[in-house]
Amino acid sequence: MNFAFLRRHLFEPLHGRLTGSPKLAYWKDLEKNQYFSTQHLLGIQQRRLRELIAFVWENNSFYRERIAAVGLNPATMQNVTDLAGLPILTKSEIRDQMHNLLSRGLDQKTLQKAKTGGSTGTALELYFSEECSELRNACARRSDCWTGWRPGEPIAACWGNPKLPKTYRERLKFNLIQPYFYLDTMRVDEKAVRFFAEQWRNAKPTLLYGHAHSLYLLAEALQDLAISLPAPKGILSTSMMLIPSERAVIEEVFETKVTNRYGCEEVSLIGCECERHEGMHLNIEHLVIEFLRDDGTPASPGEPGRIVVTDLINWVMPLIRYQVEDVGVPSLSVCSCGRGLPLMDQVIGRVADFLIKLDGSRVAGISLIENTLTDIPGIRQMQIIQEAIDEIKLNIVPANNYTQETYDQLLSYFQDLFGDAVRYTIKKVTDIKAEPSGKYRFSICNVK
Ligand SMILES: [Zn+2]
């Protein structure tokens, strides 16, 4: 019997019983639910939606006004199609209407609060119940398990400013329930990578998780230092775009498939790949997820659309038709794993990551990066900043085979796409800096 088995079957259940946490019970339910038919899962989603609408009508002045203003009858709002009658909720509305968004009759003392990083320019304060938080944790755990990892097994992470256990209680929980260790991505140098590798050999983690680009930087550093580590069971890439060429490097270095996950701080997990990697399974038990064109109509399968979510489990500060400001591609494919949770193809970036051509059409920054990194030799990494409709700056980290030809090809690639009337600046840099949150942005559009 190994220690991970004891953690999973003895210490964690015991801890759950002592603290009264429902997380494990929620997780067990979710494990079963995932194999229900899509129809059955949509039934659960619709029931929760009806309950949420009935609740906000009685207890939330912001949504009562919204529903009344568009002339909808809450009693007849039955499904996602009816939901489409309500306006979109934006980040700035959440910021400005924060107190109105809170439902009535809540015990303030029991509420949990989170602050989002505001990397899109709007920091938000969010409130939710403990039950909502436990449901989210349970859902995250379900998708953690899709990587092959089992609860109680050690985890290695690449994270900026990681939270380490400080108090005796936290350390005890850390050792007895979930051991993990970090590479702090805000301070990566040879010494830190070597120390991380040493910890890896001692702890033998079965899961590696982190921001997509941080995982890539780690893989590259290990390659440069000729360090090889025992393969984990799974690698979980979270929180930002996973560029296919970077994914390939991570998978080669760790000899393990990457599991791509997508979510946001406001509603937690939205979608995650399973062990078959045929798309991201959407978390439809907890969310209604819409993909919308610019005119507000639903995007077709295969067509990029703005992601709009309705959180069915946060009744404290409900987010109904909240625009996350990311763009994703819905799918009608069915995953061969047998789970009933529907798929989306991929997330192709934030709305703010799309560059704008002189004719007003938009181009996904991630595609530009991917195309240039794959097609033009001599570029290790690249960041595109569009300062104005006629001004594009490229920061590139040159590879060893960088030549004048690299520069010329890059310039003509952008000229072909955006035209000669745009001013281009190509600058060589030693690295692309992370944002304070630890995330990286490769494509930034500052055109208002
Ligand atoms: Zn699947």
Side-chain angles (χ1 to χ4, degrees):
M1 200 187 317
N2 64 24
F3 212 58
F5 183 90
L6 284 178
R7 286 189 199 106
R8 182 159 66 246
H9 294 289
L10 182 63
F11 299 137
E12 192 178 26
L14 195 63
H15 179 262
R17 207 168 299 165
L18 289 173
T19 56
S21 162
K23 183 176 115 177
L24 290 179
Y26 289 159
W27 170 52
K28 284 192 180 130
D29 280 346
L30 286 165
E31 285 285 333
K32 265 186 272 158
N33 281 10
Q34 61 186 338
Y35 289 104
F36 287 162
S37 69
T38 307
Q39 218 45 41
H40 186 116
L41 290 166
L42 287 170
I44 295 175
Q45 185 191 50
Q46 285 197 6
R47 176 175 52 77
R48 287 188 167 159
L49 177 63
R50 286 195 293 272
E51 288 167 357
L52 174 71
I53 296 292
F55 175 82
V56 296
W57 180 254
E58 294 300 330
N59 300 287
N60 192 294
S61 54
F62 179 86
Y63 287 107
R64 190 182 176 101
E65 269 174 41
R66 267 203 164 186
I67 294 169
V70 291
L72 283 169
N73 176 358
T76 59
M77 284 183 71
Q78 297 290 316
N79 54 38
V80 183
T81 318
D82 299 329
L83 189 66
L86 285 176
I88 299 292
L89 180 72
T90 61
K91 276 191 204 302
S92 50
E93 272 176 309
I94 297 182
R95 188 194 53 210
D96 299 343
Q97 302 278 343
M98 207 196 78
H99 291 287
N100 288 335
L101 273 164
L102 288 174
S103 301
R104 268 193 301 274
L106 301 163
D107 180 0
Q108 298 284 339
K109 288 194 289 292
T110 63
L111 297 188
Q112 301 200 4
K113 179 177 160 182
K115 255 191 171 158
T116 68
S119 53
T120 48
T122 314
L124 301 177
E125 258 181 41
L126 302 155
Y127 292 85
F128 43 90
S129 65
E130 196 182 333
E131 186 193 2
C132 170
S133 167
E134 296 281 21
L135 274 166
R136 287 173 177 177
N137 291 339
C139 193
R141 159 156 313 183
R142 176 173 70 181
S143 68
D144 290 346
C145 292
W146 295 347
T147 65
W149 168 86
R150 302 295 299 145
E153 293 174 351
I155 294 175
C158 280
W159 212 253
N161 299 319
K163 254 201 238 158
L164 294 168
K166 286 197 184 83
T167 63
Y168 173 73
R169 261 178 94 115
E170 281 170 351
R171 275 202 297 273
L172 191 69
K173 190 176 165 192
F174 167 88
N175 283 312
L176 290 181
I177 298 176
Q178 187 51 72
Y180 50 83
F181 60 95
Y182 285 103
L183 175 71
D184 183 351
T185 52
M186 304 309 265
R187 292 171 204 86
V188 181
D189 53 21
E190 184 181 333
K191 195 174 148 205
V193 174
R194 287 196 185 281
F195 182 62
F196 182 77
E198 196 184 309
Q199 285 181 295
W200 186 293
R201 289 199 188 90
N202 291 332
K204 302 181 185 62
T206 56
L207 175 65
L208 169 66
Y209 83 86
H211 293 151
H213 188 63
S214 302
L215 294 172
Y216 165 75
L217 292 178
L218 170 65
E220 228 191 7
L222 291 170
Q223 218 169 24
D224 289 348
L225 296 169
I227 296 174
S228 78
L229 294 172
K233 290 182 184 171
I235 301 176
L236 194 58
S237 164
T238 66
S239 305
M240 58 179 289
M241 291 292 312
L242 178 62
I243 301 174
S245 55
E246 296 197 349
R247 178 182 201 147
V249 172
I250 303 166
E251 292 185 341
E252 188 196 324
V253 169
F254 288 98
E255 296 175 334
T256 305
K257 284 264 191 195
V258 171
T259 299
N260 195 12
R261 179 147 94 187
Y262 167 63
C264 67
E265 289 164 293
E266 296 85 324
V267 300
S268 196
L269 189 141
I270 297 175
C272 186
E273 290 178 357
C274 71
E275 65 284 352
R276 301 290 172 94
H277 309 278
E278 294 173 14
M280 290 186 188
H281 285 286
L282 295 171
N283 174 17
I284 63 163
E285 296 127 304
H286 293 172
L287 302 169
V288 173
I289 302 155
E290 300 173 77
F291 299 86
L292 301 181
R293 298 185 182 126
D294 287 347
D295 66 3
T297 57
S300 304
E303 178 189 357
R306 288 171 186 243
I307 298 174
V308 168
V309 292
T310 295
D311 189 341
L312 301 171
I313 57 170
N314 184 0
W315 288 16
V316 166
M317 186 177 179
L319 299 182
I320 298 181
R321 302 203 85 209
Y322 167 58
Q323 180 170 296
V324 186
E325 296 188 4
D326 288 326
V327 176
V329 183
S331 167
L332 276 185
S333 306
V334 175
C335 188
S336 62
C337 70
R339 291 181 180 88
L341 298 164
L343 296 177
M344 79 168 151
D345 271 348
Q346 55 170 334
V347 177
I348 48 175
R350 300 199 300 207
V351 174
D353 295 339
F354 281 76
L355 274 63
I356 303 170
K357 288 198 204 176
L358 287 170
D359 66 6
S361 59
R362 295 183 298 139
V363 184
I366 192 78
S367 311
L368 297 176
I369 304 268
E370 183 53 22
N371 291 345
T372 38
L373 289 184
T374 325
D375 295 344
I376 305 176
I379 305 171
R380 200 164 179 167
Q381 282 166 35
M382 184 167 81
Q383 182 183 47
I384 311 169
I385 305 167
Q386 185 171 28
E387 297 288 10
I389 190 95
D390 59 354
E391 187 183 2
I392 292 176
K393 290 180 177 166
L394 306 172
N395 289 326
I396 61 164
V397 180
N400 292 338
N401 54 344
Y402 177 90
T403 60
Q404 180 63 34
E405 179 73 3
T406 309
Y407 181 98
D408 296 341
Q409 278 190 37
L410 189 59
L411 184 62
S412 81
Y413 176 84
F414 274 85
Q415 277 170 338
D416 286 349
L417 207 60
F418 290 90
D420 295 333
V422 174
R423 271 173 296 137
Y424 302 94
T425 319
I426 300 177
K427 194 171 140 195
K428 283 197 262 180
V429 295
T430 50
D431 56 6
I432 308 289
K433 299 272 179 263
E435 308 227 315
S437 63
K439 294 185 193 177
Y440 294 84
R441 288 181 74 189
F442 298 109
S443 167
I444 301 167
C445 178
N446 290 327
V447 182
K448 294 283 176 245

